[in-house]
Amino acid sequence: MKAKASVSKEVIQVKYKIYIIIIILSGICVSTDVDAKTYAWLVDLDGKAQKFDVGVNSITQSIDLKGYANISVSLQDVQQSVVFDAGANLVLFINDYGRVGQWVGAYNMKDMSFRKKIAIESRDPNLRLPRIVMPQGVNKFYIVWWDSVKEVNAKGGETYTTLDKTTLDKISESTNFLLNIYQPLFASANANKLYSLNIRKNELKSYDSTSLALLDTVSLISFWDTPLFGKGIEYFSNDKILFSENAKINKNDPNNFKYFIYNMLTKELSSKINVAEVGYGIIPPDGTKLIIIESSNNKVNIYDVATRQKIKYLDFSGKYTDIRILSIATISPDSSKLYMQGENIQSGVTTLIVIDLKTTYSVLAEVPNVKGSRMIFYEDQ
């Protein structure tokens, strides 16, 4: 999964677009059935989906998603265009026709069979895609879209629609929404909550997923060191936020990057980890590791959060001379495996690299011809 866009490491910026997308999309399917197997769908911009068997590290099925809906479009941004709830067996795809408009198609997650076209057609004058807010564990979700029928002089068309996850029918529609969708939104995996983060105001708010009533506000002011040159959000997983900061005074001063995790359920803040590498950070659902991926030079650094020490350094630059590690990276729901995608710069051939995160921290498998900018997990018999 693409964890974040590339940013300047002089000033760690807030990645609003990416984090609105990723956190809304984040969902982990954890089953109590000992006979259940874990799979993942890898979805890319070309509308293709590949079914990946996590246990044996192999592709078992490939599907052309466009064929089910009889459409002929490309997804503009797979991170924003693919939204899911594994527990509800539901995946939504935003199909983009540019200025003609966008619509949302619903699929069953386990077999990627087409269910229906959602009854909205968005035509944003600024070409913004609809935004889907998908809380986990409740039977409704929200789509923010542009209704051109309501607009006057390119204003007034923003519409907030509440839909039923089972029937996919509209429950209600409004021109007002209680949450600021232009701030990062996080869907809880363990509670009936949505989180809204305003890093400039140093506020983290939690809302009830069903009523959208405000439950709590946490101040982030005490989170940051001084002096503080820059701060940002790196990643979200399983009710945990990975923050980063650059604790220096002036632009020309040496960078002083620090990473730390805030658990939104326990309201505990981890110790800060000093990191010299310039890359992007991700964490597993259990929050025990910090992974810094240097996609510019094909290196991976793994830190233990409790000890704040680096426990593994992986250098792929020698082995993959013509390979670049793409900014797709995700971690299995049980926190045991890291998945990264590499692409041969000359041929375009892609490889899924699987790394152990529990014991050896070594490469477990390299699966050729696997392509996907979004990796979504689920469990099935």
Side-chain angles (χ1 to χ4, degrees), residues 23 63 75 125 148 161 220 258 285 292 315 350 369:
I23 304 312
I63 293 177
L75 299 178
S148 58
T161 300
L220 309 182
K258 299 179 183 180
I292 304 294
D315 187 349
T350 56
N369 300 314

Side-chain angles (χ1 to χ4, degrees), residues 20-21 23-26 80 83-85 90 92 94 130-136 138-145 160-163 165 177 179-188 193-195 207-209 212:
I20 289 174
I21 296 163
I23 304 312
I24 291 172
L25 296 186
S26 292
Q80 187 169 347
V83 184
F84 70 95
D85 182 347
L90 175 64
L92 302 178
I94 298 175
R131 298 183 184 275
I132 302 173
V133 182
M134 182 71 78
Q136 307 294 298
V138 298
N139 197 41
K140 65 180 181 180
F141 63 99
Y142 311 93
I143 300 180
V144 183
W145 59 289
Y160 306 91
T161 300
T162 305
L163 299 103
K165 286 183 182 178
F177 197 56
L179 278 67
N180 185 348
I181 63 162
Y182 299 105
Q183 300 291 343
L185 289 176
F186 306 79
S188 173
K193 292 181 180 181
L194 288 169
Y195 304 102
Y207 296 84
D208 182 275
S209 296
L212 300 184

Side-chain angles (χ1 to χ4, degrees), residues 306-334:
T307 65
R308 296 180 290 169
Q309 300 299 310
K310 186 187 293 187
I311 54 179
K312 190 69 175 182
Y313 167 72
L314 297 169
D315 187 349
F316 295 97
S317 59
K319 182 175 184 179
Y320 297 110
T321 305
D322 295 321
I323 295 286
R324 61 179 178 180
I325 303 297
L326 305 181
S327 52
I328 164 180
T330 191
I331 298 174
S332 60
D334 64 358

Side-chain angles (χ1 to χ4, degrees), residues 132-177:
I132 302 173
V133 182
M134 182 71 78
Q136 307 294 298
V138 298
N139 197 41
K140 65 180 181 180
F141 63 99
Y142 311 93
I143 300 180
V144 183
W145 59 289
W146 192 270
D147 188 346
S148 58
V149 176
K150 298 176 183 177
E151 76 171 75
V152 177
N153 297 323
K155 295 182 179 181
E158 195 161 68
T159 302
Y160 306 91
T161 300
T162 305
L163 299 103
D164 185 284
K165 286 183 182 178
T166 302
T167 64
L168 302 175
D169 294 330
K170 291 182 182 179
I171 298 174
S172 63
E173 202 163 85
S174 173
T175 55
N176 295 303
F177 197 56

Side-chain angles (χ1 to χ4, degrees), residues 366-379:
E366 296 166 87
V367 188
N369 300 314
V370 176
K371 188 176 182 181
S373 298
R374 185 79 176 100
M375 192 171 186
I376 52 181
F377 294 90
Y378 70 99
E379 293 200 348

Side-chain angles (χ1 to χ4, degrees), residues 12 33 109 165 170 186 204 209 216 284 288 319 355:
I12 303 175
D33 188 345
M109 186 172 184
K165 286 183 182 178
K170 291 182 182 179
F186 306 79
L204 175 63
S209 296
D216 186 38
T288 60
K319 182 175 184 179
I355 298 173

